[in-house]
Amino acid sequence: MPRTKEQYEKIRQERRELIRETALKLFATKGYAATSINEIAQSAGISKGLMYNYFASKEDVMQTIWDDLSEMFYAAIDSNHDGEVSDEEMEVFIDKLFDLLVNCREEMKLYYQCSFQPEVLDFLQHKLNTTKLMQRQQEIVKSLSERLPIADADNAYFSVLVFLKGLSMVVTYTESVYDNGFLMKYKEFLKECFSHN
């Protein structure tokens, strides 16, 4: 019995997701520049030719992954996009940040891999739309820094920026050191630290 259009579409989506997940793992562990389209296809168990039915190039796969990652970040930052971060939005941000760090470690590893590869970072900044995301990140960091008892605004901003990046890297790369119970307690501690109350 021939497959229906819906069945073909489901198979297509499943293969596309397999390629995306395979590429994500390879990019996150080997690095974007060191990963070839052949390796992605081989690791996904498909031919290189079939891979081009789903993605036009390695850059296309990367753009898809980066767009997905950007959407996850957007969802965590200043949800009503008014440039202000209320206590409620701050708590939602911290919840979503920890959700990303605990449940999306491969994506976070890729983010840091890209940060340490100038040629990849250049590709992302010039060919992908990262401006909006960077503006949102600056807004949340500024808002959080204003909650600290530090008189110098620049020092407060830099302190929060370094803290968030350090926290992200520690949780991303030390999965076996800190269990989820500890991280959930630490998340609640952070909410108290950044609360206006």
Side-chain angles (χ1 to χ4, degrees):
M1 184 175 183
R3 290 186 175 127
T4 65
K5 186 178 175 183
E6 289 78 18
Q7 287 172 321
Y8 275 115
E9 184 56 30
K10 185 178 178 212
I11 290 168
R12 179 171 177 72
Q13 290 306 319
E14 286 171 354
R15 280 220 180 115
R16 189 173 162 84
E17 185 58 22
L18 171 66
I19 294 166
R20 181 201 170 283
E21 286 298 312
T22 302
L24 170 62
K25 286 179 184 164
L26 288 168
F27 292 160
T29 54
K30 288 189 67 178
Y32 172 78
T35 302
S36 71
I37 202 88
N38 280 335
E39 286 176 285
I40 298 169
Q42 268 187 339
S43 295
I46 61 172
S47 70
K48 183 178 173 183
L50 183 59
M51 177 140 167
Y52 286 115
N53 287 338
Y54 299 96
F55 293 97
S57 61
K58 182 171 89 165
E59 290 79 12
D60 186 27
V61 181
M62 180 63 169
Q63 179 159 359
T64 299
I65 293 168
W66 198 259
D67 286 347
D68 292 346
L69 186 55
S70 296
E71 284 303 313
M72 287 190 286
F73 281 134
Y74 283 139
I77 299 173
D78 184 22
S79 55
N80 65 5
H81 308 302
D82 64 356
E84 300 287 327
V85 181
S86 67
D87 278 356
E88 185 180 339
E89 285 177 315
M90 179 272 301
E91 289 194 13
V92 169
F93 166 74
I94 291 174
D95 283 337
K96 289 185 176 178
L97 173 64
F98 273 79
D99 186 54
L100 278 172
L101 296 178
V102 170
N103 299 314
C104 302
R105 281 191 167 93
E106 294 299 326
E107 286 87 346
M108 294 306 298
K109 285 176 186 172
L110 174 61
Y111 172 79
Y112 284 113
Q113 280 279 351
C114 292
S115 299
F116 298 125
Q117 296 178 70
E119 70 283 357
V120 181
L121 201 54
D122 184 60
F123 159 72
L124 292 171
Q125 288 174 340
H126 289 95
K127 297 196 176 177
L128 306 180
N129 184 14
T130 58
T131 307
K132 188 177 174 187
L133 177 59
M134 299 201 45
Q135 287 171 340
R136 293 282 178 236
Q137 286 174 333
Q138 288 169 353
E139 287 167 10
I140 191 95
V141 171
K142 181 174 183 289
S143 178
L144 291 175
S145 69
E146 289 167 352
R147 296 163 183 265
L148 296 178
I150 300 174
D152 185 299
D154 289 338
N155 284 341
Y157 181 88
F158 187 70
S159 296
V160 172
L161 184 66
V162 169
F163 167 75
L164 289 175
K165 285 191 179 279
L167 171 69
S168 297
M169 288 187 81
V170 166
V171 176
T172 298
Y173 287 101
T174 58
E175 184 176 359
S176 61
V177 177
Y178 301 105
D179 66 28
N180 286 354
F182 172 82
L183 293 175
M184 294 308 104
K185 279 196 241 174
Y186 188 69
K187 177 178 76 170
E188 295 308 315
F189 167 75
L190 282 186
K191 289 180 185 179
E192 289 178 26
C193 290
F194 284 113
S195 174
H196 274 138
N197 299 326

